[in-house]
Amino acid sequence: MKDLSLNARIYIYASILVAIILFSWNMANIGVENLWETLLLAAIASLALIIKVEGTTNRSHYNFSFLIYSAAFFLLGTSEAMLVILISNLVEWAWHKYPWYIQSFNIGCYIITIQVTGLAFTWANPAGILFSWLGVITMLMSMAVYTLVNHLMVGIIVWLARGENFKQSGIFDFLPIMIDFTVLSMGAGVALIWTLNPIAVIFVIIPLYLLYSTLRVPSLERQTEIDPKTNIFNHRYFEKALEEELSRAHRFDRPLAIVMADLDLLRNINNTYGHLAGDEVLIGVANILKDNAREYDVVARFGGEEFAMLLPETTAEEAFEIVEQIRLEIEQAEFQVPTSISPIKATMSFGIASRESDSQSSKEILHNADAAVYHSKLRGRNRTYVFSDQIYQGLFKPFGPQDTGVNITPETIDSGIQELPEQADAQVDHKPIKPLVNQQNQTSPPVPVQSTRLIYMFILLVTLVSGGLLLLQISPVENVPLSGLLLFIAIVFLAEWFSLDIYVRNTSVSVSAAPMLAGFILFGPAGAVLLSLSFALAAYFKHNSMPSRLVFNFSNQLLAGMLCLGFLSLTGINLTIDNHVIQLIMGLFMSMILYLSTTALISVAIFLSTGLPVKRTWRDQFSWLAPYYIVMGMIAYALVFGYTDAGLVGAMVVSFPLFLLRWSQKQYIDRTRAIVNELKEKNVILERSSTEISTLNEGLLKTLAEVVDLRDPFVLGHSQQVTSYAVLMAKNLGLNGDQVELIRKAGLLHDIGKLGIPERILLKPTKLTAEEYNIVKEHVVLGAEILQASQSLHNLIPIIRHHHERYDGEGYPDGLTGTEIPIEARIVAVADAVEAMASDRPYRRAMGLDQILMELNNNAGTQFDPQVVRAFKQIT
């Protein structure tokens, strides 16, 4: 709290003091008759505070405690609501362990807010009557008061503590205001339903699941700001956060520090233990950085082995203390990797720069921090340096250790002299040959498209069936209450008009199913006709549809309604008078009839329009809606008893929070849809760039392979043929696509190290001496070193380096045995040997397939992996 300004501290203390006075005064007048209800609501509110929904930023959350506070206020009164607020927030405090002044202010803010809300409600509705037009209006008004007072108190502390006014903090933005108001209004609805039927509350608050699911959808914008490998922020987010924090630091003359960090010798880790081990180290280091950062710090990965930290309100000296703790923890950490029996260790070099003047730009501070980390690496790694502007010419102050940093280097394994095998390295001649294996391409048949005539015939059939069922069930005289029917027609129309286009599933969802199902039950066949027409007209005008779709939607809904009413007629159950258990069960059955009927007919219509199979269409687009329709059945049940027990007001009480919920969801979906569209545009650009880069890289790979083969005029096409065999064996072994692509690239470049072998040795027509053979064996090490210069080819290094290892451990350069040799390298080794044996040499003719298979069988388990040999035999 010492970091807060004096005005902020005064405001916090004053709020807490006022809250203590108000709470004490209310507790002096509280009774014990509602004790159990108060404790139950306090327990539910505590659970709601513990289970939070992450918001659009990593520091914003939503919870549904406001619903419980609202319900407690209208059911029990102001004093009991205060007790619910106190108990639930104390539980949250114990669970999350917030600083005392933060949670104390939160409790004080809620107590003051609920007191002001109580005064406003009593002034507008002295009698406290809820079931009336005045009651509903004053309930909504008081919830608006609660929302505005709460946001005002929070906005003031943000202004005093961080210097952000209401506009900058967004505390009064429309969306957060409406989310809080929606949840509070739903709590008011819970209170009304509780007074009618406490058990039915569970069906009124079911829409909370929909809101909870919506708020749980991670912000797509924030996903684009997360590094997928380390799960911390990426370069893009860091730069944006730096600009914002630097602007604030300039405006209020506050300190700010930037830390650049570079993992020492990650290349050696990758070469020694493999790239998967390097990834494990990167993830482990990222976790250490994140765990040691404060809540308001920003930790990001810049790319490769580079990381960055943004430390607001921090001087260079304070940053150094934080960084040194992180550096020592990384130095002492041990990382478990699958390619090493014992844990491996790593170190990190750090550079720190701070804001030193109001004229500094973010790029300048980043450059200073980058220069500092570069200086740390030059001074031996595993240390921290701080950039200083005392001379402003690259003067550094060393704060790190003066001993030499820990370096990780590959193990050096001596290899004995071996006889030159008769395979790729003994090649002096090569002629193109027919491939030893066959390759086939398969194409999928086109999807047929049906005629428009079938669609119209189908619509006509649905219309005739629904009309026939209507004639069978409609009564000569129906006593339908006009006011209730008009209300439900309006609810259905508005629900469908405000339906949500779910961009993820390319369809729309509304809550119209609930009022339609309730209307079928309440108003019978006549209601089914008018409600179905209301639904169809809303969809028609909203989407500017064709008349045929209007007819189909009307007939589809009417048919579902007639099936539901026919089901009721067969069972002989009256859902308006039977007990609540039967009402609920039958409501769920009818919701499933509505769901299956409407979605099945839509799937058939899609089939007639596009030729897509009905089963696949239903599974992909509509199967996920089953739980949603179960929820709609529960809400329909609540609407039925709300209307029968409390008339129009009861129906509106149940439906009004539902519309507020849909409005809130629409705001989120609109925002995420805009983000999705932006991401799609960026993805198109990235995909185009990726295609261009892939084409360029592919050309370079093939050019390099040809350059390697041209070194020896007798082996033209060798790399291409090795690649062909290796890829087919990899697919036969069931390797995944990434591994197959690695093998393809490695096959093209497996002999790239021969560029460093003297031609006098490479082209020598006679037997090599032991010394010359040792030089030839160096080509695998040279190949690995050549690929070091290309970051995109690093994952080929283990294959290039080890494709001359032998299964029995007698190969080179490292004498690996069995499964110690990467499976990709074992595959390339067999492909290389096969291609060598299938090629003509000055001293022998090419072997036939039977001879090649015999050689492979004879050397399986010694030179070659038996499993890879079997794969080659299966593809021939």
Side-chain angles (χ1 to χ4, degrees):
M1 192 172 181
K2 63 180 180 179
D3 296 331
L4 298 176
S5 66
L6 177 61
N7 290 336
R9 293 199 297 270
I10 292 174
Y11 177 70
I12 291 175
Y13 287 132
S15 300
I16 295 173
L17 179 60
V18 172
I20 291 174
I21 295 172
L22 292 175
F23 182 79
S24 302
W25 181 75
N26 277 274
M27 291 304 103
N29 301 317
I30 195 172
V32 296
E33 60 273 8
N34 297 321
L35 179 60
W36 288 110
E37 292 88 342
T38 303
L39 294 177
L40 175 61
L41 291 173
I44 299 173
S46 301
L47 185 62
L49 285 170
I50 292 173
I51 306 175
K52 293 184 176 182
V53 183
E54 189 173 355
T56 55
T57 70
N58 64 317
R59 288 181 287 180
S60 65
H61 300 85
Y62 298 105
N63 62 69
F64 297 110
S65 59
F66 278 11
L67 184 146
I68 310 302
Y69 298 163
S70 173
F73 173 77
F74 290 114
L75 285 171
L76 306 176
T78 304
S79 301
E80 286 80 359
M82 281 189 184
L83 191 57
V84 171
I85 289 171
L86 178 66
I87 294 174
S88 60
N89 279 271
L90 288 176
V91 171
E92 183 197 24
W93 194 352
W95 185 272
H96 291 294
K97 296 181 174 58
Y98 297 131
W100 72 269
Y101 60 90
I102 293 179
Q103 196 69 350
S104 298
F105 173 77
N106 288 338
I107 296 173
C109 176
Y110 295 148
I111 288 177
I112 295 172
T113 300
I114 203 72
Q115 182 68 62
V116 175
T117 303
L119 294 175
F121 180 75
T122 303
W123 171 80
N125 189 357
I129 299 175
L130 301 182
F131 285 95
S132 66
W133 290 106
L134 176 63
V136 173
I137 293 173
T138 53
M139 290 172 76
L140 293 175
M141 180 272 295
S142 59
M143 293 301 92
V145 170
Y146 186 101
T147 303
L148 295 174
V149 172
N150 180 65
H151 280 249
L152 176 63
M153 293 192 67
V154 174
I156 292 173
I157 188 59
V158 171
W159 196 340
L160 295 176
R162 293 185 58 86
E164 298 177 357
N165 58 34
F166 294 155
K167 183 177 181 180
Q168 292 170 329
S169 64
I171 199 71
F172 283 105
D173 285 354
F174 196 55
L175 181 61
I177 287 286
M178 284 308 300
I179 289 177
D180 287 348
F181 179 65
T182 297
V183 175
L184 288 165
S185 298
M186 294 186 73
V190 168
L192 290 174
I193 299 302
W194 182 283
T195 60
L196 296 174
N197 183 355
I199 299 177
V201 168
I202 187 173
F203 308 124
V204 181
I205 63 174
I206 287 297
L208 279 178
Y209 172 76
L210 302 177
L211 179 58
Y212 182 77
S213 300
T214 300
L215 296 180
R216 283 189 64 196
V217 175
S219 169
L220 294 180
E221 184 176 22
R222 188 154 54 83
Q223 283 187 2
T224 64
E225 297 166 343
I226 297 294
D227 176 64
K229 180 174 292 185
T230 58
N231 202 31
I232 60 177
F233 290 113
N234 60 19
H235 183 274
R236 172 189 173 188
Y237 179 85
F238 184 86
E239 289 189 334
K240 183 174 70 173
L242 174 57
E243 290 291 345
E244 294 174 355
E245 287 294 340
L246 183 60
S247 176
R248 190 182 71 85
H250 284 335
R251 188 164 62 249
F252 300 104
D253 193 24
R254 301 299 299 167
L256 179 143
I258 293 177
V259 179
M260 295 297 293
D262 197 279
L263 191 60
D264 296 329
L265 300 174
L266 178 63
R267 180 182 299 177
N268 287 353
I269 297 176
N270 288 333
N271 291 345
T272 305
Y273 303 103
H275 284 267
L276 292 179
D279 290 346
E280 289 294 330
V281 174
L282 283 172
I283 295 170
V285 167
N287 289 334
I288 293 174
L289 292 171
K290 184 168 55 177
D291 292 343
N292 284 275
R294 299 163 298 184
E295 182 181 359
Y296 49 84
D297 294 336
V298 176
V299 180
R301 183 186 179 204
F302 258 43
E305 61 265 33
E306 292 182 316
F307 295 83
M309 296 179 68
L310 172 61
L311 309 179
E313 300 292 331
T314 308
T315 64
E317 288 73 17
E318 293 170 339
F320 171 75
E321 296 179 3
I322 297 172
V323 169
E324 274 297 279
Q325 178 180 346
I326 295 173
R327 187 188 62 79
L328 292 173
E329 186 169 338
I330 293 173
E331 183 181 11
Q332 297 167 5
E334 295 182 340
F335 303 97
Q336 298 286 345
V337 298
T339 53
S340 175
I341 298 176
S342 58
I344 64 175
K345 299 176 72 66
T347 62
M348 190 167 239
S349 300
F350 292 89
I352 301 172
S354 60
R355 186 189 79 89
E356 296 169 334
S357 70
D358 293 341
S359 61
Q360 275 186 304
S361 66
S362 59
K363 291 184 178 180
E364 185 178 350
I365 303 177
L366 276 173
H367 172 74
N368 293 343
D370 204 40
V373 74
Y374 181 69
H375 194 79
S376 296
K377 296 181 79 69
L378 287 178
R379 288 290 185 265
R381 304 185 181 90
N382 189 26
R383 60 193 62 231
T384 306
Y385 271 80
V386 178
F387 185 89
S388 171
D389 67 343
Q390 293 175 358
I391 302 178
Y392 209 71
Q393 294 180 349
L395 176 65
F396 296 90
K397 295 186 294 185
F399 286 102
Q402 301 306 308
D403 57 312
T404 303
V406 178
N407 298 340
I408 299 178
T409 59
E411 298 176 0
T412 303
I413 303 176
D414 295 330
S415 300
I417 299 177
Q418 301 177 353
E419 292 296 326
L420 182 64
E422 289 189 1
Q423 57 180 60
D425 289 318
Q427 296 164 356
V428 294
D429 187 19
H430 180 88
K431 294 181 181 179
I433 62 172
K434 290 179 63 177
L436 297 177
V437 294
N438 297 322
Q439 304 179 50
Q440 298 178 349
N441 296 322
Q442 296 181 347
T443 58
S444 301
V447 178
V449 179
Q450 306 299 321
S451 66
T452 306
R453 180 180 300 177
L454 287 177
I455 299 173
Y456 288 141
M457 291 178 61
F458 174 70
I459 294 175
L460 178 61
L461 176 63
V462 174
T463 304
L464 291 175
V465 172
S466 61
L469 291 176
L470 175 65
L471 293 175
L472 289 174
Q473 297 188 49
I474 194 166
S475 303
V477 178
E478 290 192 47
N479 184 18
V480 177
L482 183 60
S483 59
L485 180 56
L486 290 176
L487 174 62
F488 273 80
I489 288 174
I491 293 175
V492 169
F493 186 91
L494 292 174
E496 186 57 30
W497 182 265
F498 291 107
S499 62
L500 301 178
D501 295 325
I502 306 297
Y503 59 89
V504 175
R505 309 209 182 246
N506 194 27
T507 186
S508 63
V509 176
S510 74
V511 294
S512 58
M516 285 193 67
L517 191 55
F520 296 160
I521 297 169
L522 291 169
F523 308 115
V529 173
L530 295 176
L531 292 171
S532 299
L533 181 60
S534 176
F535 172 91
L537 287 172
Y540 174 76
F541 288 117
K542 177 181 179 180
H543 300 290
N544 194 22
S545 305
M546 298 175 60
S548 58
R549 183 164 295 184
L550 169 66
V551 176
F552 174 76
N553 284 334
F554 168 73
S555 303
N556 191 9
Q557 298 298 325
L558 180 60
L559 177 60
M562 292 302 99
L563 291 175
C564 290
L565 291 175
F567 173 73
L568 276 183
S569 178
L570 290 174
T571 59
I573 295 174
N574 189 333
L575 293 188
T576 61
I577 61 176
D578 285 311
N579 67 61
H580 294 303
V581 176
I582 294 178
Q583 287 179 346
L584 174 60
I585 294 174
M586 297 303 295
L588 293 178
F589 269 110
M590 291 176 66
S591 68
M592 287 296 98
I593 293 173
L594 181 66
Y595 162 59
L596 294 172
S597 172
T598 54
T599 57
L601 291 180
I602 295 173
S603 299
V604 173
I606 292 174
F607 163 71
L608 296 175
S609 300
T610 64
L612 293 174
V614 174
K615 183 177 180 181
R616 190 177 76 182
T617 300
W618 189 89
R619 183 187 66 243
D620 294 344
Q621 296 197 29
F622 302 113
S623 61
W624 66 279
L625 285 171
Y628 182 90
Y629 270 80
I630 292 176
V631 172
M632 291 299 102
M634 294 179 178
I635 298 174
Y637 159 67
L639 279 168
V640 169
F641 86 77
Y643 177 76
T644 55
D645 290 356
L648 298 179
V649 174
M652 292 184 64
V653 165
V654 175
S655 61
F656 183 73
L658 199 58
F659 281 109
L660 289 176
L661 166 67
R662 302 309 287 173
W663 184 91
S664 175
Q665 287 180 314
K666 188 176 187 304
Q667 299 302 309
Y668 262 81
I669 290 175
D670 285 347
R671 291 179 63 187
T672 50
R673 183 183 294 110
I675 296 169
V676 167
N677 291 335
E678 180 184 352
L679 289 176
K680 285 181 178 177
E681 294 176 2
K682 292 180 179 178
N683 284 339
V684 169
I685 297 173
L686 290 174
E687 186 175 352
R688 187 183 303 120
S689 300
S690 176
T691 302
E692 294 175 355
I693 293 172
S694 297
T695 303
L696 178 61
N697 286 341
E698 186 64 22
L700 290 174
L701 283 174
K702 291 181 178 178
T703 300
L704 281 173
E706 291 176 3
V707 169
V708 172
D709 290 350
L710 284 172
R711 288 284 327 271
D712 187 346
F714 301 104
V715 294
L716 293 177
H718 166 72
S719 299
Q720 292 280 0
Q721 201 62 48
V722 169
T723 300
S724 175
Y725 298 151
V727 166
L728 289 170
M729 283 188 286
K731 291 180 178 179
N732 180 270
L733 288 168
L735 272 61
N736 61 49
D738 291 340
Q739 289 176 295
V740 173
E741 180 62 14
L742 278 181
I743 289 172
R744 188 186 70 82
K745 292 179 179 179
L748 290 172
L749 300 180
H750 72 284
D751 278 340
I752 192 172
K754 288 186 177 179
L755 293 174
I757 304 299
E759 290 188 359
R760 60 179 178 82
I761 298 177
L762 191 64
L763 303 180
K764 184 177 180 180
T766 58
K767 186 177 178 65
L768 300 177
T769 65
E771 181 181 358
E772 289 171 336
Y773 177 50
N774 285 335
I775 294 175
V776 169
K777 289 195 297 184
E778 288 297 317
H779 82 278
V780 293
V781 178
L782 290 174
E785 291 176 352
I786 290 172
L787 297 185
Q788 286 284 0
S790 175
Q791 184 70 31
S792 62
L793 298 178
H794 275 193
N795 49 4
L796 303 182
I797 291 176
I799 308 175
I800 304 300
R801 182 181 178 89
H802 299 301
H803 78 278
H804 277 296
E805 303 284 1
R806 289 171 56 101
Y807 200 73
D808 58 6
E810 297 298 320
Y812 61 87
D814 298 323
L816 302 182
T817 60
T819 56
E820 291 179 350
I821 309 169
I823 180 62
E824 298 88 351
R826 284 177 264 155
I827 292 173
V828 172
V830 172
D832 194 16
V834 168
E835 209 284 326
M837 289 186 285
S839 303
D840 288 336
R841 291 292 184 266
Y843 49 85
R844 64 162 172 79
R845 299 291 298 172
M847 296 183 183
L849 179 59
D850 292 339
Q851 291 177 289
I852 292 174
L853 292 176
M854 184 182 299
E855 285 293 322
L856 292 177
N857 286 331
N858 292 338
N859 290 278
T862 55
Q863 183 175 353
F864 306 119
D865 182 346
Q867 186 179 8
V868 179
V869 171
R870 284 194 297 272
F872 180 80
K873 292 166 65 177
Q874 291 172 2
I875 66 175
T876 55

